[in-house]
Amino acid sequence: MLHNPIFRWGVGLSGALVVVAVAHLFLSGTVQLVAYGIAVFDGLMTPLVLKRAARE
C-alpha cells in the first residue's frame, strides 16, 4: 500500500488539511501562521517519509 504514490500523497494532504482546518477555525495571529507552516511541512514531508518506509 505504501508503494502507491496516490495513497502516500493522500495521507500527507489529508493530515495537512486537518491542520489547516483547525488553524482556521480555532487559532488566530502568529499561532495560526505557524500552524499553516506546519501544514505545508506535513503535506510535503509525509509522502517522502512514507516513500522511504516503503523502500525498506
Side-chain angles (χ1 to χ4, degrees):
M1 188 181 271
L2 291 179
H3 294 285
N4 185 354
I6 295 173
F7 175 77
R8 291 192 309 258
W9 284 98
V11 170
L13 294 178
S14 67
L17 183 62
V18 169
V19 174
V20 166
V22 169
H24 182 71
L25 295 173
F26 299 109
L27 302 175
S28 63
T30 305
V31 177
Q32 186 180 36
L33 295 177
V34 170
Y36 289 152
I38 291 170
V40 169
F41 183 77
D42 180 39
L44 295 175
M45 291 306 296
T46 299
L48 298 176
V49 171
L50 291 176
K51 182 179 181 179
R52 189 172 187 163
R55 279 188 292 178
E56 294 185 14

